[in-house]
Amino acid sequence: MLPRCKQKRIWRTAAIFCLCVLTASMQSFVQVAALDSNYNSYTYDSSGNMVPSPLAYTVSDLIIGSDLGISGFQVPTDLFADENAGLIYLADTGNNRIVVFDKNWELVKIIETIPGCPDGVESLNGPEGVFVDRDGMLYICDTLNHRVLKLQQDGSCISIYSRPDTDLLEKGLEFKPRRLVVDQSKNIYLLAEGVYNGFIKYNSDGEFQGFYGGNKVEVTAEVVLKQIWRKFFTDDQIESTARILPVEYSNACIDEKNFIYTVVLQSSTSKDQLKRLNAKGNNVLRINSQGALYDKNQFGDLDVGRLSKAKTNRFVAVDVAADGIISILDQERGHIFQYDGEGNLLFVFGKKGDERDSFQQVEDIVSFGGKYLVLDSVKNRVTVFTPTEYALLVKKALDSYADGDYENAIGVCHEVLKHNVNSSIAYTCLGNALLQQGEYSRAMEYLKLGQDRGSYSNAYRSYRLQFVRNHFGGILIGVVMLAVLLMLLKRVVYRWIGIPRKKRKTSLSLREGATYE
């Protein structure tokens, strides 16, 4: 039987332990509750924890069919913003039409039929994708007509792209084009339903060029197990089992530098759900995660804490604005995530719900005149988001830094921190600007607050080198004085322990290899 004092000590320790576990559980619960309640004013720190943030965008307009003087939209699926012409193209899939309106949200035209179409089919049928190239040529994914149309500005048809003649496509697969982009050389990159090889590529003459940028099969425990079992199956059993397929792209966009950005709707891992493909189809959006507590190639909401039951991200659209800001749209929660060109998270906004500023089922997002337009296929409307003062300051700081105006970037970053003292991107931008100006000590301070380990290491190396250069004379004098001091100390020690001077010289000579008679 333990003494009563020891029993009390054990119970007190157990109570403290239970309290700590309960506190940790409540923190995880609050984080999950924040996700489940569509809380949209936060970012993530380098540890993957949610950090509160000021609202970056507010809803300024809602566009529905009656606002344009036409019948309401029905299951719209795609948007395209032509900044040069100041026009917005909307694929109104349920109404079998393309609706075009301008920056004042006024109707310009409706495209429902293509007079004189070469294949004899003049009416659109369930169009799901629309794109306009730099010369004003209009491309339409006429999905249920199993074709892609290329139209001149007057609406006449130039070319029709149909299912490519290749054995790489599954036999009997119905050709349903859904999204496309066109590069500066007029090459067409098409995403079609059920095609897992990546983009179907056509050249400017409409000739099939093969597949581009396909994903690889994700190596998971389930995939490895299936591959092992297939070695023991008969041919009939292998034929009856589900095939192992790579992840299919859900949407894409192309920037001014001809890089194609892609997202996937579903993946067993949150890594590389956003890609930037170069001319060879390789992903060049590779972020250095060295020293980070979570992989920076993860996008969208991060699962934080073991008690988190957050659902996976389902990215349906990606947009790259003229200022290089990358926006990806999550259909699961209705969140929009914005990143800079290096993949650093800037803002999170948007949510699901019945309120004016919320969605039911998002389909696409485009930037237009500094604003963002988000398409909802259930509410059948376009929601227009306008940046707040906080968002404008963050973008101004990033632009100033990119332009080499470090002095202005430093000033703007301080303004950002007045709005949001938790802004990692402001600390990082401020630290990097000071680093470029040679103020390494201050740069280290801010980069530490921004938790940018890579830039902090660069600043520390530069600070160390600068210190050595500035104090080289003093360091040299100090080394010489230390050497002299050691010699003097050695003599004092020898004298103190009673070694005669003559014997010291004799010992020294013997060590140098001299001989004595």
Side-chain angles (χ1 to χ4, degrees), residues 55 78 180 272-274 294 307 341 378 440 447 472-473 477 495:
L55 193 62
D78 195 32
L180 63 85
D272 297 329
Q273 287 184 299
L274 168 67
Y294 75 94
L307 298 180
V378 172
Y440 305 123
L447 290 169
F472 181 76
I477 293 173
R495 185 176 300 172

Side-chain angles (χ1 to χ4, degrees), residues 169-207:
L169 288 179
E170 184 181 349
K171 293 182 179 179
L173 177 66
E174 201 170 29
F175 184 62
K176 290 185 178 181
R178 300 189 67 247
R179 301 288 190 274
L180 63 85
V181 295
V182 182
D183 65 15
Q184 297 175 4
S185 301
K186 303 292 185 178
N187 296 310
I188 299 172
Y189 302 85
L190 176 68
L191 294 176
E193 184 177 318
V195 177
Y196 299 92
N197 310 70
F199 291 86
I200 302 173
K201 184 179 178 181
Y202 302 89
N203 64 12
S204 57
D205 296 325
E207 298 173 351

